């Protein structure tokens, strides 16, 4: 079945069609299942209330770009950390934290931050490949920091609370961002990036903060509504859209044409994701109907008494899957095969969820999929090989976080569990 999918992808067949056609072919040939049941599975794949948050968060991200929110957030980040060595690169990371807390996707964060920060970094003397690497690495924070579309997808297939996933992602994402800034500082020392971008002044800080308040209200509305129990993640997504519209009006940059463009972008991006979700549901159903999932799990059951070994094997399989498939496909097709194993062993479901999310973030930085790299290299006009020389150090930060989540989950999840409780 995997070979069939790979052949179709090699022929240029879109991923959603490759998944659907493969599942359809195997079910028709090997199982006596009515076609009406397959249509039902196609519908059930998208019939989920948590998934309703995806188009809303994507719309909130698009409104951010058209409403002038991006510039205000970057200026605020500049006022906070622009005075240190490699300050503009650190601003890039901090901006990615803000953007990740609004867009919910790596591609959205890399495009929004990259279009502003990469030209600015190049103008200040940073190498184009380093600028692209920092932006690409920062885009992975959009996967870990809520409102994360990957977390919404994971919650929809696992039954785990999306709110719990969101709360777990906040401290872990901030920890990864700090690791990124340490890497930026070390590289800035090595490359002798001695200049500072913006000396700290209390006046500039207050001014940029006041101007950025409407923009900062978007992530506050999202996380605040969830943490207080005032709103579900889906309802918080709707609030984020409303706040994004209001912020765009306050900044006087959200035009009617920009609003229509934001709607068009969110509809197209949502359609791409949801079509994959629907066809992946059929593929998952074919795994169950043909007993493929059980056959794959039987060898792993021998490690049932060692959660660490299971997590390492699962991470390796997911990591290999991330080389082949987009993260959406990896979570919707491969992860469901492991969920019965997680339930049957002593693995903490939240721990496994965060392992999957971090592996997804690594997959965004490793070719051939590497959607974050494709976007930033195109903006910086450099080759992927040039960027990879720097990007490998940011991947190391993600890898250390992954190992920490596997070997010391009680420490990594201490703050998230406090927030959840």
């Amino acid at each position: 079945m995997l070979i069939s999918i790979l052949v179709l992808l090699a022929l240029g067949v879109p991923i959603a069609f490759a998944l659907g056609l493969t599942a359809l072919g195997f079910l028709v040939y090997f199982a006596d299942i009515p076609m009406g049941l397959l249509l039902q599975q196609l519908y059930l794949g998208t019939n989920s209330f948590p998934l309703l948050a995806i188009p809303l968060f994507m719309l909130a991200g698009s409104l951010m770009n058209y409403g002038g929110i991006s510039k205000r957030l970057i200026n605020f980040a500049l006022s906070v950390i622009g005075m240190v060595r490699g300050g503009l690169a650190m601003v890039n990371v901090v901006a990615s934290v803000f953007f990740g807390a609004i867009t919910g996707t790596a591609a959205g964060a890399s495009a929004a931050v990259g279009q502003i920060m990469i030209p600015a970094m190049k103008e200040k003397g940073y190498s184009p490949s380093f600028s692209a690497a920092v932006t690409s690495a920062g885009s992975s924070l959009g996967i870990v920091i809520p409102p994360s579309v990957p977390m919404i997808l994971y919650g929809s297939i696992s039954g785990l609370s999306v709110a719990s996933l969101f709360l777990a992602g906040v401290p872990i994402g901030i920890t990864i961002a700090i690791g990124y800034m340490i890497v930026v500082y070390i590289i800035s020392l090595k490359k002798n990036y001695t200049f500072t971008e913006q000396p700290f002044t209390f006046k500039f800080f207050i001014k940029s903060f006041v101007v950025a308040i409407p923009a900062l209200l978007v992530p506050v509305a999202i996380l605040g509504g969830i943490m207080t129990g005032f709103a579900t993640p889906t309802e918080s997504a709707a609030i984020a859209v409303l706040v994004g519209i209001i912020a765009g009006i306050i900044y006087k940059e959200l035009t009617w044409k920009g609003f229509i463009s934001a709607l068009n972008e969110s509809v197209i991006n949502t359609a791409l994701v949801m079509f994959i979700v629907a066809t992946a549901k059929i593929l998952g159903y074919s795994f169950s109907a043909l007993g493929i999932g059980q056959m794959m799990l039987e060898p792993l059951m021998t490690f049932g008494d060692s959660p660490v070994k299971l997590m390492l094997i699962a991470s390796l399989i997911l990591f290999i899957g991330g080389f082949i498939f987009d993260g959406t496909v990896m979570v919707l097709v491969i992860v469901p095969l492991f969920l019965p194993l997680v339930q049957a062993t002593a693995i903490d479901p939240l721990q496994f969820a965060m392992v999957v999310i971090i592996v997804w973030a690594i997959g965004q930085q490793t070719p051939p999929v590497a959607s974050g790299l494709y976007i930033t290299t195109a903006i910086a006009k450099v080759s992927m090989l040039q960027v990879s020389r720097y990007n490998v150090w940011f991947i190391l930060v993600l890898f250390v976080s992954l190992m920490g989540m596997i070997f010391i989950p009680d420490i990594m999840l201490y703050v998230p569990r406090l927030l959840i409780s």
Side-chain angles (χ1 to χ4, degrees):
M1 188 173 283
L2 177 61
I3 294 175
S4 173
I5 295 174
L6 292 177
V7 169
L8 289 173
L9 291 176
L11 293 174
V13 177
I15 183 66
F17 287 98
L19 298 177
L21 290 174
T22 299
L24 181 63
F26 273 78
L27 285 172
V28 169
Y29 190 78
F30 292 106
D32 185 20
I33 296 176
M35 293 296 293
L37 187 58
L38 297 182
L39 292 175
Q40 184 184 53
Q41 291 297 316
L42 193 70
Y43 168 75
L44 290 174
T46 58
N47 185 28
S48 170
F49 180 70
L51 292 179
L52 185 60
I54 292 177
L56 294 172
F57 281 131
M58 286 188 171
L59 178 57
S62 296
L63 289 171
M64 175 189 68
N65 293 327
Y66 288 98
I69 297 176
S70 306
K71 291 183 291 186
R72 274 74 179 187
L73 289 176
I74 289 175
N75 285 335
F76 175 62
L78 190 63
S79 72
V80 174
I81 204 168
M83 76 297 298
V84 300
R85 186 189 293 265
L88 196 59
M90 291 192 184
V91 168
N92 194 325
V93 175
V94 175
S96 295
V97 172
F98 289 141
F99 283 78
I102 298 174
T103 62
T105 64
S110 62
V113 176
Q115 290 171 359
I116 299 174
M117 293 304 302
I118 290 178
M121 289 180 66
K122 289 167 65 177
E123 183 179 340
K124 286 287 186 177
Y126 292 88
S127 70
S129 52
F130 177 60
S131 304
V134 174
T135 309
S136 177
S139 70
S140 287
L141 295 172
I143 295 173
V144 183
I145 294 177
S148 164
V149 170
M151 288 182 180
I152 297 171
L153 291 174
Y154 187 94
S156 70
I157 64 169
S158 67
L160 199 61
S161 166
V162 175
S164 296
L165 292 170
F166 277 9
L167 294 176
V170 174
I172 293 171
I174 292 174
T175 302
I176 293 172
I178 293 172
Y180 282 172
M181 286 192 280
I182 293 173
V183 170
V184 164
Y185 185 76
I186 293 172
I187 293 177
S188 296
L189 283 176
K190 185 177 180 181
K191 294 294 181 180
N192 199 30
Y193 293 140
T194 57
F195 46 81
T196 56
E197 278 62 52
Q198 176 64 52
F200 180 83
T201 63
F202 190 71
K203 180 180 179 181
F204 179 60
F205 171 76
I206 293 297
K207 180 181 178 181
S208 62
F209 173 72
V210 171
V211 173
I213 286 177
L216 293 171
L217 284 177
V218 179
V220 169
I222 295 169
L223 293 178
I226 295 171
M227 293 182 69
T228 60
F230 175 76
T232 66
T234 302
E235 292 164 345
S236 294
I239 295 172
V241 171
L242 180 61
V243 174
I245 293 173
I246 294 173
I249 294 173
I250 291 174
Y251 293 141
K252 299 179 180 178
E253 291 196 27
L254 181 61
T255 63
W256 180 251
K257 182 180 179 181
F259 180 68
I260 296 299
S261 297
L263 287 174
N264 287 335
E265 285 183 8
S266 60
V267 167
I268 292 171
N269 292 331
T270 300
L272 292 172
V273 173
M274 297 307 292
F275 193 24
I276 294 174
V277 170
T279 53
K281 176 69 174 178
I282 299 180
L283 187 64
Y285 177 76
S286 69
F287 283 162
S288 176
L290 300 174
I292 295 175
Q294 188 62 33
M295 287 188 290
M296 293 179 64
L297 287 179
E298 283 180 0
L300 298 180
M301 289 303 294
T302 57
F303 301 99
D305 59 340
S306 177
V308 171
K309 289 182 181 178
L310 276 175
M311 297 282 276
L312 288 171
I313 294 171
S315 298
L316 178 60
I317 294 173
L318 291 168
F319 186 70
I320 295 172
F323 274 111
I324 303 171
F325 301 120
D326 176 76
T328 303
V329 179
M330 181 186 74
V331 166
L332 295 173
V333 175
I334 301 177
V335 169
L337 301 176
F338 288 99
L339 292 179
L341 196 62
V342 173
Q343 295 167 357
T345 59
I347 297 175
D348 183 347
L350 186 61
Q351 178 192 6
F352 183 75
M354 296 314 299
V355 165
V356 172
I357 295 299
I358 295 173
V359 172
W360 187 333
I362 294 173
Q364 293 294 313
Q365 305 303 319
T366 51
V369 176
S371 61
L373 276 179
Y374 281 116
I375 294 172
T376 57
T377 52
I379 296 173
K381 295 181 174 60
V382 291
S383 71
M384 196 169 289
L385 182 62
Q386 290 174 299
V387 176
S388 295
R389 288 186 302 146
Y390 295 102
N391 206 45
V392 65
W393 301 108
F394 296 104
I395 294 174
L396 181 61
V397 173
L398 291 170
F399 181 75
V400 170
S401 301
L402 176 64
M403 291 299 102
M405 187 59 65
I406 293 175
F407 287 98
I408 49 172
D410 289 337
I411 295 176
M412 295 292 288
L413 293 173
Y414 178 74
V415 174
R417 285 168 179 162
L418 285 179
L419 293 173
I420 293 169
S421 62

